[in-house]
């Protein structure tokens, strides 16, 4: 967390900055009586990240690391860390709400359904502070891993993760790595990962290194209407499923709103999905029908009401 705040997205802390932060973290634990002994770990309950900032603040005010014989190099590093952190921890500063509300672990532990949102709400990632986005990504990654471990080792149950709108946030720097790590390490922890996207072509892009991880760990696809014929062909070719090219085309044609008569064969594919299990080789065409009461509800309403 402090590395992202102080060094940014692509840089590392200097050895002096890391030393200052490490010392502050150690003191927060020592003051609470937390040691390497697991029997003391319960004492960490209630500790907050802003307490680390307060330790750094005190270090600078006391000029604890001032040493003219070394050109005050560590004191300068401490001041640099402090100035970088101020916007996030001082009341009234521009980013002071970032760590304002701590997450209640008890609530998370007992939840049956948890939604993680990066707060984009339709905005492009370029409209969000990249450091704030990176901190959210880091938090999601940490909590997601802890929930997986808790489900495996304590509750002894599977844990389902649904990664929605992958075409948007999956392309954001850092986000794709989160889902890549979830896919490669999740199965060992009993995770069931479901990726939802409306851009199959982006997932097939071989220039994106994350897609290689996904391709090696995905066990199945559920594919609806794909307008792009080259994307359909590329998918079938990539997985050696050329026999699925025709069903995918029929699903697309059945979903179009073009006027004119459809053949009875094509019409049968309306509201259909192609289910392909890569790990077993099984394939099927299935239908998904939504009741009108749901289809006409606000859940599916887009645009502007006049």
């Amino acid at each position: 967390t402090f590395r992202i705040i102080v060094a940014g997205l692509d840089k590392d802390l200097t050895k002096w900055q890391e030393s200052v932060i490490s010392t502050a973290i150690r003191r927060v634990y020592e003051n609470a009586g937390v040691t390497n002994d697991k029997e003391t770990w319960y004492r960490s309950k209630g500790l907050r990240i802003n307490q680390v900032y307060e330790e750094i603040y005190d270090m600078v005010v006391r000029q604890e690391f001032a040493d003219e014989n070394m050109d005050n190099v560590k004191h300068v590093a401490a001041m640099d860390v402090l100035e970088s952190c101020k916007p996030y921890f001082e009341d009234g500063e521009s980013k002071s709400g970032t760590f304002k509300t701590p997450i209640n672990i008890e609530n998370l532990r007992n939840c049956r359904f948890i939604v993680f949102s990066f707060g984009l709400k339709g905005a492009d990632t370029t409209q969000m502070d990249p450091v704030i986005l990176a901190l959210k990504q880091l938090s999601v990654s940490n909590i997601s891993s802890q929930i997986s471990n808790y489900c495996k080792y304590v509750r002894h149950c599977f844990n389902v993760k649904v990664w929605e709108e992958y075409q948007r946030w999956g392309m954001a720097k850092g986000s794709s790595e989160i889902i890549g790590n979830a896919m490669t390490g999740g199965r060992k922890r009993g995770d069931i990962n479901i990726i939802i996207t409306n851009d199959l072509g982006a997932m097939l892009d071989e220039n994106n290194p994350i897609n290689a991880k996904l391709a090696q760990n995905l066990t199945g696809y559920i594919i609806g209407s794909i307008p792009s014929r080259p994307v359909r062909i590329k998918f079938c070719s990539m997985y050696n499923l050329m026999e699925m090219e025709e069903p995918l085309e029929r699903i697309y044609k059945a979903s179009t709103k073009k006027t004119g008569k459809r053949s009875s064969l094509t019409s049968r594919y309306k509201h259909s999905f192609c289910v392909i299990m890569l790990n077993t080789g099984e394939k099927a065409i299935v239908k998904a029908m939504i009741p009108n009461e749901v289809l006409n509800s606000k859940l599916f309403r887009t645009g502007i009401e006049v």
Side-chain angles (χ1 to χ4, degrees), residues 63-175:
Q63 296 190 337
E64 187 173 325
F65 301 122
D67 186 349
E68 294 184 2
N69 293 329
M70 294 185 61
D71 295 327
N72 293 317
V73 61
K74 194 169 181 178
H75 179 64
V76 171
M79 290 193 296
D80 187 48
V81 170
L82 180 65
E83 288 302 315
S84 298
C85 292
K86 267 186 178 181
Y88 298 88
F89 296 100
E90 292 289 347
D91 288 338
E93 293 281 356
S94 59
K95 304 173 184 179
S96 59
T98 306
F99 302 101
K100 201 77 172 178
T101 307
I103 294 175
N104 189 318
I105 298 300
E106 292 297 324
N107 290 346
L108 282 182
R109 187 185 69 174
N110 298 317
C111 274
R112 293 177 59 85
F113 181 67
I114 301 171
V115 177
F116 288 117
S117 172
F118 294 138
L120 295 177
K121 295 183 179 179
D124 188 87
T125 53
T126 57
Q127 296 174 271
M128 175 171 278
D129 186 304
V131 176
I132 296 290
L133 180 59
L135 290 171
K136 290 184 177 183
Q137 291 166 339
L138 178 64
S139 297
V140 169
S141 181
N142 287 338
I143 296 172
S144 176
S145 296
Q146 293 299 325
I147 291 173
S148 296
N149 291 336
Y150 180 69
C151 287
K152 177 177 181 178
Y153 296 110
V154 179
R155 298 185 63 188
H156 305 292
C157 65
F158 288 104
N159 179 40
V160 179
K161 290 187 173 74
V162 179
W163 307 89
E164 194 177 8
E165 298 241 3
Y166 177 69
Q167 75 278 0
R168 290 184 65 242
W169 66 264
M171 298 302 108
K173 182 178 177 59
S175 292

Side-chain angles (χ1 to χ4, degrees), residues 38-295:
K38 291 183 180 180
E39 297 299 320
T40 69
W41 290 2
Y42 73 93
R43 296 171 183 164
S44 67
K45 184 175 182 178
L47 296 184
R48 300 287 181 260
I49 194 170
N50 65 295
Q51 292 174 258
V52 178
Y53 168 77
E54 290 167 3
E55 283 290 336
I56 296 171
Y57 179 88
D58 290 341
M59 292 173 182
V60 172
V61 171
R62 293 193 300 263
Q63 296 190 337
E64 187 173 325
F65 301 122
D67 186 349
E68 294 184 2
N69 293 329
M70 294 185 61
D71 295 327
N72 293 317
V73 61
K74 194 169 181 178
H75 179 64
V76 171
M79 290 193 296
D80 187 48
V81 170
L82 180 65
E83 288 302 315
S84 298
C85 292
K86 267 186 178 181
Y88 298 88
F89 296 100
E90 292 289 347
D91 288 338
E93 293 281 356
S94 59
K95 304 173 184 179
S96 59
T98 306
F99 302 101
K100 201 77 172 178
T101 307
I103 294 175
N104 189 318
I105 298 300
E106 292 297 324
N107 290 346
L108 282 182
R109 187 185 69 174
N110 298 317
C111 274
R112 293 177 59 85
F113 181 67
I114 301 171
V115 177
F116 288 117
S117 172
F118 294 138
L120 295 177
K121 295 183 179 179
D124 188 87
T125 53
T126 57
Q127 296 174 271
M128 175 171 278
D129 186 304
V131 176
I132 296 290
L133 180 59
L135 290 171
K136 290 184 177 183
Q137 291 166 339
L138 178 64
S139 297
V140 169
S141 181
N142 287 338
I143 296 172
S144 176
S145 296
Q146 293 299 325
I147 291 173
S148 296
N149 291 336
Y150 180 69
C151 287
K152 177 177 181 178
Y153 296 110
V154 179
R155 298 185 63 188
H156 305 292
C157 65
F158 288 104
N159 179 40
V160 179
K161 290 187 173 74
V162 179
W163 307 89
E164 194 177 8
E165 298 241 3
Y166 177 69
Q167 75 278 0
R168 290 184 65 242
W169 66 264
M171 298 302 108
K173 182 178 177 59
S175 292
S176 55
E177 284 80 359
I178 292 175
I179 194 169
N181 292 333
M183 292 297 294
T184 54
R187 281 189 297 175
K188 297 176 182 177
R189 294 193 296 262
D191 280 356
I192 300 171
N193 287 289
I194 301 172
I195 303 173
I196 299 177
T197 179
N198 63 8
D199 190 353
L200 178 62
M203 291 188 68
L204 302 178
D205 181 8
E206 296 172 324
N207 294 321
N208 186 343
I210 298 300
N211 288 341
K213 287 185 177 183
L214 297 182
Q216 293 172 18
N217 289 275
L218 286 172
T219 57
Y221 277 89
I222 302 175
I223 304 176
S225 175
I226 305 297
S228 172
R229 187 168 184 269
V231 170
R232 298 196 300 266
I233 294 174
K234 183 175 182 179
F235 170 79
C236 294
S237 176
M238 180 177 291
Y239 291 103
N240 195 24
L241 293 165
M242 300 313 296
E243 71 275 16
M244 302 310 298
E245 187 179 334
E246 184 178 352
L248 287 173
E249 184 174 359
R250 288 178 178 174
I251 290 173
Y252 162 66
K253 287 183 177 179
S255 69
T256 59
K257 296 182 179 180
K258 294 179 180 178
T259 57
K261 293 183 179 179
R262 294 192 183 95
S263 68
S264 59
L265 181 62
T266 302
S267 296
R268 288 200 317 229
Y269 284 82
K270 190 175 183 180
H271 305 305
S272 293
F273 292 83
C274 183
V275 179
I276 303 169
M277 303 307 297
L278 300 175
N279 55 339
T280 64
E282 295 175 284
K283 298 176 285 287
I285 304 297
V286 302
K287 273 181 177 283
M289 304 294 287
I290 301 175
N292 287 331
E293 291 82 1
V294 177
L295 191 61

